[in-house]
Amino acid sequence: METYDVVVIGGGLLGCFAARNLRRWDLSVALLEAREDVCTGVSRANTAIVYPGYDHKPGTLKTEMTVRANARFDTLCRELDVPFKRCGSLMVGFGAQAEAVLRRKYENGLAAGVPGLRLLSGAEALALEPALAPGVTLALYAPSAGTVNPWALGVAAFENAVDNGAQPWLNTAVRGIRAEGGSYVVGTDRETFSCRALINCAGLSADRVQALFRAPDVRIVPSAGDYLVLDQTAANAPGHIIQYEPEDGGKGLTAVPTVEGSLLLGPSERENETDFATTLPGLDFVRERAGRVLPRLALEETIRSFAAVRPNPQRFDGGSVGGFVIDNPAPGFWSLIGIKTPGLTCADELGRHVAEHAAAYLQAERNMAFSPQRTGIKKAHGMSCEQRRAAIADDPDYGEVLCRCEDITRAEVLQAIRRGAVTVDGIKRRTGATMGRCQGSRCQQRLVQLLAQEGNIPACAVTKDGRGSEILGGGHETV
Amino acid sequence: MKRCELLIVGAGVAGMAAAVAAWDSGCRNLVLADRADRSGGILPQCIHEGFGLSAFGAELTGPDYADRWAAALKRTGVQLLLNTEVLSVTETKTAILSSREGLGELGFERLILATGCRERAVGSLPIAGTRPAGIFTAGQAQALINLRHQSLGRNILILGSGDLGMIMARRFTLEGKRVIAVVEQNDHYGGMARNHHRCIEQYHIPMLYRSTVSEIHGVGRICGVTLTQLDSGRREYISCDTLITAVGLIPERELARGLGDPDWLYLAGNCHRIHQVADSAAAEAEAIGKRIMQEGQR
């Protein structure tokens, strides 16, 4: 039996931030993750926006948390050494119906205290963002909106949690939960855990994980959305986040100039889908909407399409849930169920929130040794010549570029592996390798070799994204 | 800062041919840089025959063809920098070079980019579905099989019937794998008739014309694709454990981005335009190597 003060179930963004914030207190913390790495579920595909906070009703936990989280985001990313781009957003409307939506959000935002919010005329919006379609009639400008790489943030929170003493348990899937003499016993396919407080951050499975103990009032009805990624060289890409409100009140589109320099377009939306598979109508929808709002955008520079899955919380009578659901099925047990947009923005705030509840429940003292600082992998790209020269002198692996598209060196890849990447996608999430225009067709083999060498396993055992995704020798076992 | 008269980036056939021609035309301060640990570019993985008919009057394999050019290069005094990545080129005619030995700046008077091409990746195609393991570009598969001796899968579907797609169909067959079909959206194969005859017909590999892959299936590893017939719209599930994409080559000119069109910059070989045969890339590069020296004397 493994005994901890608190067990966190789920190593997505929320679980990693819960573990990080729990260590602000003098509590022993275990983080249980079913997969081989963190951020492989809902967190792996996301619109990557740090929202300003005008989308929801003022006065709600969701809105208050979003505005607060947004204001803290520079500090958070500085602490965790993660790139953050506060590029601002323009929600653009075409026609009266869309304008009404924008004005309502503007009022919401003012009431919620969103800084710098302005309504711009079509001409003003075009002056600020020339890539827009000329027909724009009104725009809501939010200079505080920004973008962050969700994986980079999640991995950073994980590393910071572990640096502060949280114990990660990877490849550990929860099978049962029961209460026993004031504690919880969590059964997994490996060890059995005993804890006094339990935080459920199991993403798409959060409702089912809680149901192992007591069924929640809500269930998760996933919906999928399709995205396109355009090369950083794509002409006429916007410099701001663009959120398009169509004239007919229908579903719009978001365009995000990512921190890596690529442009993210999406999502389409499909109900009741759990697999990370795109559809042709979904991809067509994204292209068509992009053509409306960014008419000169070089869509032919698409380098990838992918699907994201959102955990929508729904009541059993079918009613939808507007706010964040933080369930408390029993003393000392908190469940984050169906945290969708703006979950990325609020990840650290939600982590703080549940950590404070758990600390109060356990009457824990502050952990004076906690350090919020984490140092990321030093990136060769963006260094000055002098810095890069010094980096190579210090570590010759910085001289060897492995991923040409994104300018990522062997040194960065080796550090990613030494920090816990065990798959090609794990390297991608930590370094950005394979994310560029060739999508790994040139560097994947080098990554496989390094994973094999560092993990002391044969190359044919290396996977793209966990068990069953072996890259080489495919099909041997089906004979 | 070190300086040279001519910097050539890429020691594939075009880079070597340009270097030899420039040397033979009198250029004596010439640097040829390549990121790989050997010259030859893509040729060492092209172990099939068919190279050099016009340049050497013989039908050679890719490695042998590369060796001929390497031998020609060796008799010159061209300075060959291997394991060297050219990170960027500035408007002030300076290249930033990175290697395990350090970061260097190299000034030049003229620059030939012979950086070849890259393959269009599956992500750029309008194909829906999942993004599992088991999808390779044809060139990536060729390198894995011919240089790394790896097995990629057993039941192979190939999308695209350019030369590389057809050559890989034969290569997989020779490896003992089952090539289910080569799928082509047009009503005629894309590559040369010679390759169609030698790689497809002689090995009885099925061709599916006016068809395309519209969806990829599989979690973890690919388990099949949806094939759509373009004329009837008919869709069909085809089981496979490997998908090879041979859907086009894109000249690799990232180093030239933002430079405009200065009179000191030349593009040679596949980085200029996609050549059907290596000899054609070599001939174009040789002509540029010669011309540069003539222009330099003016």
Side-chain angles (χ1 to χ4, degrees):
Chain A
M1 180 91 83
E2 293 284 336
T3 304
Y4 291 89
D5 292 325
V6 191
V7 163
V8 178
I9 302 172
L13 268 164
L14 297 174
C16 293
F17 272 104
R20 172 188 198 235
N21 283 291
L22 280 162
R23 285 300 297 145
R24 291 178 187 273
W25 307 86
D26 190 15
L27 295 167
S28 60
V29 178
L31 175 65
L32 274 45
E33 166 56 46
R35 294 275 305 267
E36 72 292 337
D37 197 1
V38 295
C39 295
T40 59
V42 177
S43 311
R44 98 171 191 206
N46 190 293
T47 314
I49 298 178
V50 176
Y51 287 93
Y54 58 64
D55 286 294
H56 304 280
K57 279 192 205 120
T60 60
L61 175 70
K62 197 180 228 180
T63 295
E64 282 179 7
M65 223 179 229
T66 307
V67 174
R68 194 164 62 234
N70 181 295
R72 270 187 37 84
F73 228 87
D74 299 278
T75 309
L76 177 68
C77 289
R78 226 174 7 251
E79 282 174 356
L80 293 178
D81 198 8
V82 171
F84 169 51
K85 189 161 82 175
R86 204 179 274 285
C87 52
S89 68
L90 281 164
M91 180 171 260
V92 295
F94 296 75
Q97 204 174 336
E99 287 185 23
V101 174
L102 264 50
R103 290 184 200 281
R104 196 175 65 237
K105 295 202 182 233
Y106 176 63
E107 296 300 328
N108 273 353
L110 287 186
V114 174
L117 213 51
R118 275 200 292 152
L119 281 171
L120 306 181
S121 69
E124 287 173 319
L126 279 164
L128 195 60
E129 188 54 85
L132 285 171
V136 56
T137 56
L138 190 71
L140 177 55
Y141 175 52
S144 64
T147 178
V148 68
N149 179 327
W151 313 323
L153 190 68
V155 167
F158 175 69
E159 289 181 4
N160 185 235
V162 173
D163 284 348
N164 278 296
Q167 182 65 46
W169 288 83
L170 299 169
N171 300 301
T172 306
V174 171
R175 297 284 184 241
I177 301 169
R178 65 188 159 84
E180 193 178 279
S183 290
Y184 293 97
V185 176
V186 181
T188 74
D189 53 2
R190 288 174 64 189
E191 311 289 327
T192 300
F193 295 80
S194 170
C195 58
R196 296 191 290 140
L198 188 57
I199 315 283
N200 166 19
C201 301
L204 284 175
S205 314
D207 54 346
R208 279 167 286 158
V209 164
Q210 187 178 315
L212 293 172
F213 181 77
R214 185 174 298 156
D217 296 336
V218 294
R219 60 177 171 164
I220 290 170
V221 181
S223 64
D226 299 335
Y227 292 82
L228 295 176
V229 183
L230 269 56
D231 197 352
Q232 33 185 299
T233 56
N236 299 309
H240 300 81
I241 295 166
I242 304 298
Q243 291 162 299
Y244 163 50
E245 278 293 314
E247 40 283 69
D248 55 6
K251 174 121 181 78
L253 180 89
T254 303
V256 181
T258 68
V259 286
E260 291 82 20
S262 59
L263 185 74
L264 185 60
L265 294 173
S268 61
E269 194 128 333
R270 290 173 278 118
E271 299 290 319
N272 279 313
E273 295 213 19
T274 51
D275 59 345
F276 289 84
T278 61
T279 63
L280 285 177
L283 297 175
D284 286 343
F285 172 91
V286 174
R287 275 188 287 267
E288 187 269 334
R289 286 295 194 271
R292 286 199 209 173
V293 66
L294 299 164
R296 286 169 294 127
L297 181 63
L299 282 170
E300 65 277 12
E301 295 226 39
T302 299
I303 54 174
R304 183 173 180 79
S305 54
F306 69 89
V309 178
R310 248 173 293 284
N312 297 305
Q314 202 177 80
R315 300 196 193 289
F316 281 94
D317 61 13
S320 66
V321 181
F324 288 142
V325 179
I326 304 174
D327 204 2
N328 183 206
F333 187 161
W334 289 271
S335 272
L336 298 177
I337 304 182
I339 306 292
K340 49 173 189 172
T341 313
L344 169 65
T345 311
C346 296
D348 191 48
E349 294 294 319
L350 284 162
R352 262 173 207 263
H353 183 86
V354 292
E356 278 163 14
H357 277 296
Y361 172 73
L362 298 173
Q363 297 179 321
E365 300 285 321
R366 283 267 171 198
N367 170 13
M368 301 316 277
F370 176 80
S371 167
Q373 307 289 336
R374 168 256 184 191
T375 306
I377 297 171
K378 193 167 62 175
K379 293 181 92 60
H381 192 72
M383 283 182 187
S384 68
C385 278
E386 286 66 36
Q387 288 169 327
R388 199 155 172 159
R389 186 172 288 127
I392 299 171
D394 193 44
D395 177 358
D397 286 334
Y398 269 105
E400 204 177 323
V401 177
L402 282 199
C403 168
R404 292 152 79 174
C405 302
E406 302 291 300
D407 189 17
I408 290 156
T409 62
R410 181 182 160 98
E412 291 154 77
V413 171
L414 282 171
Q415 285 178 62
I417 295 171
R418 286 161 195 166
R419 286 172 182 234
V422 288
T423 63
V424 169
D425 281 0
I427 294 176
K428 166 174 153 178
R429 287 191 287 268
R430 286 169 178 81
T431 65
T434 77
M435 277 177 76
R437 58 186 68 92
C438 93
Q439 288 288 300
S441 63
R442 295 182 290 194
C443 69
Q444 190 191 56
Q445 177 53 22
R446 305 285 301 277
L447 305 185
V448 169
Q449 273 178 326
L450 288 176
L451 282 165
Q453 171 197 311
E454 294 293 304
N456 206 12
I457 54 172
C460 62
V462 174
T463 66
K464 177 179 179 288
D465 190 26
R467 198 174 305 149
S469 65
E470 283 72 18
I471 291 165
L472 300 171
H476 280 320
E477 282 155 28
T478 60
V479 179
Chain B
M1 183 173 63
K2 284 185 190 164
R3 299 200 62 84
C4 66
E5 200 176 340
L6 173 63
L7 170 64
I8 303 175
V9 184
V13 55
M16 289 193 285
V20 170
W23 177 271
D24 288 347
S25 307
C27 181
R28 287 295 173 268
N29 187 1
L30 196 168
V31 174
L32 175 59
D34 198 287
R35 65 194 313 275
D37 57 4
R38 43 134 187 87
S39 63
I42 206 76
L43 288 162
Q45 72 184 57
C46 302
I47 61 171
H48 52 279
E49 301 186 320
F51 295 89
L53 281 170
S54 50
F56 302 109
E59 197 170 348
L60 307 170
T61 65
D64 289 341
Y65 183 69
D67 284 348
R68 296 268 183 126
W69 283 108
L73 185 67
K74 211 165 180 179
R75 61 165 176 77
T76 70
V78 171
Q79 192 190 347
L80 181 61
L81 291 181
L82 294 174
N83 298 304
T84 302
E85 184 86 32
V86 179
L87 293 177
S88 60
V89 175
T90 68
E91 287 167 352
T92 53
K93 298 201 273 186
T94 304
I96 311 292
L97 276 53
S98 176
S99 75
R100 298 184 66 84
E101 280 69 52
L103 196 79
E105 285 172 285
L106 179 64
F108 54 81
E109 292 308 311
R110 288 160 198 280
L111 172 69
I112 299 178
L113 289 187
T115 41
C117 55
R118 66 173 185 271
E119 296 179 275
R120 218 177 142 190
V122 69
S124 67
L125 304 175
I127 300 181
T130 53
R131 303 290 174 255
I135 304 170
F136 305 88
T137 63
Q140 184 186 11
Q142 190 178 45
L144 284 166
I145 295 171
N146 294 346
L147 300 179
R148 302 271 167 209
H149 318 294
Q150 297 285 357
S151 162
L152 306 190
R154 298 178 65 87
N155 294 299
I156 321 288
L157 190 75
I158 296 179
L159 177 61
S161 68
D163 289 312
L164 201 45
M166 296 196 290
I167 286 164
M168 286 315 292
R170 174 177 66 181
R171 189 74 191 90
F172 276 109
T173 306
L174 291 171
E175 284 286 301
K177 315 297 185 187
R178 184 169 79 98
V179 175
I180 299 158
V182 176
V183 179
E184 169 57 53
Q185 61 174 351
N186 296 310
D187 55 13
H188 192 269
Y189 52 84
M192 294 185 288
R194 182 180 83 180
N195 280 328
H196 179 254
H197 177 66
R198 287 182 180 180
C199 302
I200 302 294
E201 284 182 337
Q202 291 194 345
Y203 289 85
H204 308 292
I205 293 168
M207 293 281 312
L208 293 173
Y209 291 110
R210 296 291 298 149
S211 295
T212 195
V213 170
S214 56
E215 196 167 347
I216 292 166
H217 305 279
V219 176
R221 179 90 188 188
I222 186 171
C223 64
V225 301
T226 299
L227 201 75
T228 298
Q229 289 179 8
L230 293 172
D231 296 320
S232 65
R234 220 191 77 154
R235 288 154 68 86
E236 180 187 4
Y237 179 85
I238 294 196
S239 174
C240 65
D241 61 30
T242 306
L243 174 66
I244 302 297
T245 58
V247 289
L249 301 171
I250 303 166
E252 177 77 15
R253 293 178 202 153
E254 301 314 315
L255 283 174
R257 194 174 290 280
L259 291 178
D261 187 21
D263 59 2
W264 45 263
L265 172 67
Y266 302 81
L267 304 176
N270 281 342
C271 129
H272 175 228
R273 64 179 177 87
I274 303 302
H275 293 262
Q276 220 169 18
V277 294
D279 277 344
S280 156
E284 179 188 279
E286 275 188 302
I288 290 170
K290 278 191 195 125
R291 199 174 84 215
I292 276 188
M293 292 317 295
Q294 288 157 6
E295 285 175 10
Q297 284 153 8
R298 272 210 301 271

